[in-house]
Amino acid sequence: MSPVQRRLLSKLASVSAANLQRFPPKDALFVKKQIPTQPFSPESWAILQPPPPSALSAFAHRIGLHNVLSSTPLIQQACTHPSFLHIFSQLNPHSPPPSTNAHLAVLGNALMGVFAAEYLHAAYPYLPTRVLKAAVTAYVGPLTCASVAQEMGAVPLLRWHRTPSSPTRPAILHSDALSSIPRALTALVYQERSVLSARQFVHSFFLSRQVDLRGMIKFSNPKKALLEMVAKFHRDPPKSRLLAETGRFSNSPVYVVGIYSGAEKLGESFGSSLKMAEFRAAEDALHRVYLTRTPDHLLQLPSSAFTPGIGNIFNNSESPDESGRNQKGRYIAPELAIPEIMYASSGKSRVTPTAAPINDFYDYTVGG
């Protein structure tokens, strides 16, 4: 089998033979009397072939949207990237261009950002702003959307064309085109149903995942950051206590240090030196505050005030939701948390701590 035939078969992996009108195409047949003006390209011909309706219908059933996306043209539009128009206009200049997901992806991206931001802000009220932005990107960013599209099985249905970078726009890669499919699906659910249905779709495929937020919080000087945070909460100045140690006079000692504010322990960690244990204990104390999570039964989202189905979103009267239960449609805003400390990752602060000086932060008392 020649390399051209292998590439052609790889492109047609998701296209059934019953869906093709004629194979091989007449453009691929060589006639001696006719001199072709343009050589036949199997890759270009395979790109122009639309996915079979059975594959589109199976995709809608696989992701649970067969009741919402009942027509295959909508699914095909969600799987068509705007970069596909360039090669389509070159090979078929006289045919009408297909519908793309350009506007749907923009709308879906905005909806996913709103749903992720409100969920993370309600779940982690003390999370710093920079970490909150990074968490939103981790949950609904381009790489996550591309990964979810692969899990959905949307790779064979994607219609796109690789575009190099230019002075006005960056290059379009396969992951960029693939990430537009979940965004377009979110917009279609919002368009065909409601904003609550779109939020449920985003929560099911994106916000239900486990993301390690601990690695996103980094401090250049956690000691001073903890001192400033304790001062904002009007607590006693933090004190460091040596809780345990082993191998002090060996080549591999281990120290366990705890940080206390009065009688309350803020954090605890270990290290091969006292400074390392202090550094990690201060980080642990800051992580315990920033990663404080609201219990699921107390979690309230601002979008929960929207009326289910088609109706007035500003109406707070009781109405049955999609599950048949009565929903009051009322949102009680929680109290705003104390703003994040200004001395976090940048190493700069314009706030003078009102607590004890940084040199008096630590006094070593074995066992407290």
Side-chain angles (χ1 to χ4, degrees):
M1 184 180 294
S2 64
V4 176
Q5 292 176 342
R6 292 196 189 98
R7 290 198 300 268
L8 180 58
L9 291 178
S10 64
K11 294 291 183 179
L12 297 178
S14 62
V15 181
S16 61
N19 187 61
L20 299 178
Q21 298 180 357
R22 184 177 180 182
F23 188 84
K26 62 179 182 179
D27 299 337
L29 302 178
F30 177 75
V31 182
K32 294 183 178 181
K33 298 181 180 180
Q34 299 178 359
I35 300 177
T37 57
Q38 185 177 1
F40 174 74
S41 175
E43 294 184 353
S44 301
W45 179 85
I47 290 175
L48 294 179
Q49 303 307 311
S54 59
L56 297 175
S57 179
F59 173 72
H61 281 76
R62 186 164 55 249
I63 62 178
L65 296 180
H66 56 280
N67 294 328
V68 180
L69 307 177
S70 56
S71 60
T72 54
L74 282 179
I75 310 175
Q76 184 173 347
Q77 179 183 358
C79 299
T80 304
H81 193 261
S83 60
F84 179 73
L85 296 179
H86 177 69
I87 188 173
F88 184 86
S89 60
Q90 288 183 350
L91 301 177
N92 291 334
H94 302 292
S95 301
S99 301
T100 64
N101 60 6
H103 299 287
L104 294 175
V106 174
L107 176 59
N109 185 35
L111 290 172
M112 293 170 66
V114 170
F115 297 147
E118 69 167 2
Y119 171 77
L120 291 174
H121 185 268
Y124 302 95
Y126 297 99
L127 206 62
T129 304
R130 291 184 178 180
V131 183
L132 180 64
K133 294 179 179 179
V136 170
T137 304
Y139 273 98
V140 295
L143 296 179
T144 306
C145 290
S147 177
V148 171
Q150 290 181 353
E151 296 176 2
M152 291 178 176
V155 177
L157 307 178
L158 177 63
R159 308 178 74 187
W160 74 293
H161 180 63
R162 187 182 301 272
T163 305
S165 60
S166 63
T168 58
R169 61 182 180 182
I172 298 178
L173 305 179
H174 182 259
S175 60
D176 301 329
L178 196 61
S179 63
S180 65
I181 296 181
R183 296 170 179 173
L185 292 176
T186 304
L188 286 177
V189 174
Y190 168 76
Q191 175 181 322
E192 299 295 328
R193 290 300 174 88
S194 63
V195 63
L196 294 182
S197 299
R199 187 188 69 176
Q200 183 180 0
F201 174 79
V202 175
H203 276 256
S204 300
F205 284 91
F206 292 92
L207 301 182
S208 60
R209 297 168 174 263
Q210 298 294 332
V211 177
D212 185 16
L213 303 181
R214 197 178 182 90
M216 301 180 184
I217 307 177
K218 299 295 182 181
F219 300 95
S220 60
N221 193 339
K223 303 176 185 178
K224 187 174 181 181
L226 181 61
L227 183 66
E228 188 173 335
M229 185 188 67
V230 171
K232 283 192 174 184
F233 281 95
H234 305 288
R235 298 292 184 90
D236 295 336
K239 297 294 182 181
S240 176
R241 301 176 184 177
L242 182 61
L243 303 181
E245 65 171 326
T246 180
R248 177 184 285 264
F249 300 103
S250 64
N251 58 352
S252 57
V254 177
Y255 302 93
V256 180
V257 174
I259 296 180
Y260 290 80
S261 176
E264 182 180 1
K265 184 170 69 172
L266 303 180
E268 178 183 341
S269 188
F270 66 94
S272 58
S273 63
L274 290 175
K275 289 186 178 181
M276 181 185 296
E278 293 167 357
F279 190 94
R280 292 177 176 177
E283 278 191 336
D284 181 64
L286 293 171
H287 287 161
R288 290 174 183 268
V289 176
Y290 287 149
L291 299 180
T292 301
R293 182 180 174 86
T294 305
D296 294 337
H297 65 281
L298 299 178
L299 190 62
Q300 286 187 336
L301 301 178
S303 59
S304 61
F306 293 172
T307 304
I310 302 176
N312 185 7
I313 64 174
F314 302 103
N315 184 14
N316 293 331
S317 60
E318 295 184 0
S319 57
D321 59 3
E322 297 178 356
S323 60
R325 297 173 297 180
N326 290 332
Q327 177 177 314
K328 294 184 179 181
R330 297 175 181 177
Y331 169 70
I332 302 176
E335 296 182 0
L336 294 178
I338 297 180
E340 61 180 287
I341 58 175
M342 301 181 65
Y343 194 98
S345 302
S346 61
K348 300 178 182 179
S349 176
R350 298 187 299 271
V351 178
T352 303
T354 57
I358 192 66
N359 296 331
D360 299 336
F361 195 118
Y362 304 98
D363 58 340
Y364 300 105
T365 306
V366 178

